[in-house]
């Protein structure tokens, strides 16, 4: 449980705390993931049954083409950008295997209620801290920075100059993520899961208010899509009952969508912006990035490096249409899993995790922040919840499947199994 607490707190509440090794930022949460992976990997394969859920195995199969493309790029062209290149090696080659193969057996052994408390409080406190800084900055002219904790020691004193958070009188809400887009996109991935695990409406509303105050069009679009999604699904269901239309069951969600839109417009006007900010045809300079799709080759032609904001077009430009196909397969794999195993729809946490993955599937084409901590850590954690369930939930228990290999190494039977909490 200490490991679970540390990973949650230093990846959700303090995701940027750490230092830099040259130009590469190292965070406490990431270092703990790396440091704990070796003993967990050893215990996983030597003392636990070598079996996994079929959904996790299928998800890993869907990541293999992208991993193969990335390994080929590294072998043929090397590192074009060491910092982002290494970051994406971790994002695509390391994290999927940790979260889908190594961590799931231990994930089931921890106390789900305590993990839920750590998870929800970390998200809430990050939102509260972000709102506090949002209103403090115009008054004092600077942020409160705690090196090694709320900001990387290498970025201390550079938030205003290097993080592109300016929006007028009020800058973007950055919380402890140091950038409004990174905070917004990362939080949107876990927002559906947070809403299902957090019972108090005011806490959920505080987090949504923080997302609105990011003053990011990408985050606003994601929040509106998240709130409007159930309305659209309900409208499609009404086709079956037409001309009878049932509105009462969805009126609450409609009110939330309208209120979200009103708050977004109010945030714009309050900060001195105009409505054409939302209708900018250049998309904040991103429209030209989509043209990269028309100049892409079939095969990769560039070394390992970071992606620009519009990730789909960037992947095609850097790694060809072969790489784009592998990337789309990886991002679309949650839907493939749903076609194979419908049990996720009977589990509230797994269904919420699927919503987060699908939401990021859309956002990654606009501004996915895929190069930066902790976006892909959140993504693969949510993927693990979707594939394996939340600890302690009845529908999330392990179910034998076709991909399992029920083998235990006999010469390691003396190693005691980890305790499993009472459910």
């Amino acid at each position: 449980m200490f490991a679970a607490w540390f990973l949650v707190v230093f990846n959700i509440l303090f995701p940027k705390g750490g230092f830099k090794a040259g130009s590469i930022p190292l965070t406490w949460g990431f270092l703990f993931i790396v440091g704990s992976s070796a003993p967990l990997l050893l215990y996983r394969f030597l003392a636990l049954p070598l079996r996994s859920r079929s959904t996790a195995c299928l998800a890993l199969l869907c990541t293999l083409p992208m991993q193969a493309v990335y390994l080929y790029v590294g072998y043929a062209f090397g590192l074009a950008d060491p910092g982002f290149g290494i970051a994406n090696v971790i994002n695509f080659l390391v994290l999927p295997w940790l979260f889908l193969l190594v961590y799931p057996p231990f994930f089931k052994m921890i106390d789900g209620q305590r993990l839920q408390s750590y998870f929800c409080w970390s998200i809430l406190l990050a939102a509260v801290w972000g709102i506090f800084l949002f209103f403090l900055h115009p008054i004092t002219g600077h942020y409160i920075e705690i090196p090694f904790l709320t900001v990387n020691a290498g970025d201390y004193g550079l938030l205003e100059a290097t993080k592109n958070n300016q929006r007028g009188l009020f800058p973007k809400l950055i919380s402890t993520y140091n950038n409004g887009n990174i905070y917004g996109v990362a939080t949107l991935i876990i927002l559906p899961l947070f809403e299902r695990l957090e019972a108090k409406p005011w806490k959920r509303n505080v987090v949504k208010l923080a997302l609105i105050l990011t003053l990011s069009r990408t985050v606003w679009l994601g929040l509106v899509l998240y709130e409007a999604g159930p309305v659209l699904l309900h409208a499609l269901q009404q086709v079956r009952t037409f001309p009878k239309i049932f509105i009462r069951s969805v009126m609450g969600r409609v009110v939330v969508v309208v209120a979200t839109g009103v708050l977004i417009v109010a945030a714009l006007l309050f900060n001195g912006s105009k409505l054409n900010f939302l209708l900018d045809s250049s998309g904040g300079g991103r429209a030209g990035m989509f043209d990269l799709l028309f100049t892409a080759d079939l095969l990769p032609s560039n070394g390992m490096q970071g992606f620009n904001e519009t990730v789909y077009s960037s992947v095609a430009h850097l790694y060809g249409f072969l790489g784009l196909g592998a990337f789309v397969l990886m991002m679309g794999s949650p839907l493939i899993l749903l076609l194979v195993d419908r049990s996720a729809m009977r589990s509230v946490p797994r269904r919420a995790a699927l919503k987060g993955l699908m939401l990021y599937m859309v956002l990654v084409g606009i501004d996915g922040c895929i190069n930066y901590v902790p976006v892909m850590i959140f993504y693969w954690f949510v993927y693990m919840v979707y594939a394996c369930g939340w600890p302690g939930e009845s529908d999330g228990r392990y179910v034998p499947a076709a991909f399992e290999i029920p083998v235990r190494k006999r010469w390691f039977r003396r190693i005691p199994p980890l305790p499993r909490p009472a459910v």
Side-chain angles (χ1 to χ4, degrees):
M1 289 310 303
F2 170 77
W5 173 85
F6 194 98
L7 287 170
V8 169
V9 169
F10 284 92
N11 281 297
I12 296 180
L13 183 54
F14 302 116
K16 294 294 184 178
F19 58 95
K20 284 189 176 181
S23 61
I24 301 175
L26 299 176
T27 66
W28 304 126
F30 170 73
L31 290 174
F32 193 83
I33 289 176
V34 174
S36 63
S37 60
L40 290 178
L41 181 66
L42 185 64
Y43 195 95
R44 167 72 175 89
F45 286 104
L46 298 182
L48 297 177
L50 299 182
R51 59 188 182 188
S52 298
R53 289 182 67 106
S54 59
T55 48
C57 294
L58 181 57
L60 283 173
L61 288 176
C62 291
T63 65
L64 289 180
M66 186 62 194
Q67 293 172 359
V69 168
Y70 217 66
L71 288 174
Y72 166 75
V73 166
Y75 175 77
F77 305 103
L79 279 171
D81 184 335
F84 286 137
I86 294 174
N88 284 323
V89 166
I90 295 168
N91 290 338
F92 301 137
L93 274 72
V94 178
L95 294 181
W97 291 93
L98 286 180
F99 280 100
L100 295 174
L101 184 65
V102 177
Y103 286 169
F106 303 98
F107 193 56
K108 295 299 180 185
M109 295 175 182
I110 63 179
D111 188 330
Q113 291 185 348
R114 290 175 63 186
L115 178 64
Q116 176 180 334
S117 177
Y118 303 156
F119 181 76
C120 293
W121 273 108
S122 294
I123 296 172
L124 176 65
L125 292 176
V128 170
W129 179 255
I131 294 172
F132 171 69
L133 292 183
F134 180 83
F135 290 102
L136 177 71
H137 187 275
I139 299 173
T140 63
H142 59 81
Y143 294 106
I144 296 176
E145 302 178 45
I146 305 175
F148 299 102
L149 190 61
T150 66
V151 64
N152 189 288
D155 293 327
Y156 180 68
L158 301 176
L159 291 186
E160 285 89 352
T162 63
K163 299 302 180 179
N164 192 28
N165 291 311
Q166 300 306 313
R167 272 288 189 265
L169 174 62
F170 289 87
K172 297 178 181 179
L173 182 144
I174 63 172
S175 186
T176 53
Y177 292 60
N178 300 173
N179 178 271
N181 283 38
I182 295 176
Y183 170 75
V185 171
T187 303
L188 283 171
I189 296 174
I190 57 178
L191 178 63
L193 191 57
F194 171 74
E195 279 226 292
R196 294 300 175 268
L197 296 176
E198 178 51 64
K200 296 183 178 180
W202 73 267
K203 294 182 179 180
R204 302 198 296 265
N205 292 332
V206 166
V207 174
K208 292 179 182 179
L209 175 62
L211 290 173
I212 292 174
L213 296 181
T214 59
L215 305 180
S216 165
R217 284 166 293 202
T218 303
V219 178
W220 288 346
L221 175 62
L223 184 59
V224 170
L225 287 176
Y226 171 70
E227 298 292 357
V231 179
L232 297 176
L233 290 176
H234 184 81
L236 292 175
Q237 292 172 355
Q238 298 308 301
V239 175
R240 301 178 183 178
T241 62
F242 189 82
K244 293 183 178 180
I245 300 178
F246 301 93
I247 299 179
R248 182 178 299 178
S249 60
V250 78
M251 279 302 296
R253 182 63 68 171
V254 172
V255 171
V256 171
V257 174
V258 174
T260 301
V262 170
L263 286 173
I264 288 173
V265 173
L268 275 177
L269 299 178
F270 181 73
N271 204 35
S273 300
K274 298 181 180 179
L275 293 181
N276 57 8
F277 175 77
L278 293 175
L279 305 175
D280 181 11
S281 60
S282 67
R286 297 185 183 92
M289 298 179 183
F290 292 102
D291 295 337
L292 296 174
L293 284 170
F294 302 102
T295 61
D297 298 322
L298 177 62
L299 299 175
S301 57
N302 296 273
M304 290 180 175
Q305 56 188 288
F307 302 117
N308 63 29
E309 289 94 332
T310 58
V311 180
Y312 290 117
S313 60
S314 182
V315 171
H317 173 68
L318 295 176
Y319 304 136
F321 287 108
L322 179 64
L324 177 61
F327 185 77
V328 170
L329 174 63
M330 182 181 72
M331 298 305 298
S333 59
L335 298 178
I336 297 176
L337 267 63
L338 190 61
L339 295 175
V340 175
D341 180 12
R342 300 277 297 178
S343 65
M345 303 308 293
R346 299 192 300 269
S347 164
V348 173
R350 294 179 67 191
R351 193 164 62 243
L354 175 61
K355 291 180 181 178
L357 298 176
M358 294 178 64
L359 188 58
Y360 187 67
M361 194 188 312
V362 176
L363 298 181
V364 79
I366 305 170
D367 186 358
C369 301
I370 201 169
N371 304 308
Y372 302 99
V373 173
V375 174
M376 292 308 288
I377 293 176
F378 283 18
Y379 180 84
W380 292 114
F381 170 77
V382 172
Y383 209 133
M384 177 174 65
V385 174
Y386 169 56
C388 304
W390 190 264
E393 62 161 330
S394 59
D395 190 64
R397 63 185 182 280
Y398 173 77
V399 179
F403 288 94
E404 70 180 37
I405 307 174
V407 177
R408 181 186 290 272
K409 298 291 189 297
R410 292 185 177 181
W411 51 88
F412 283 99
R413 281 184 175 176
R414 293 183 178 179
I415 300 179
L418 293 179
R420 185 181 298 272
V423 178

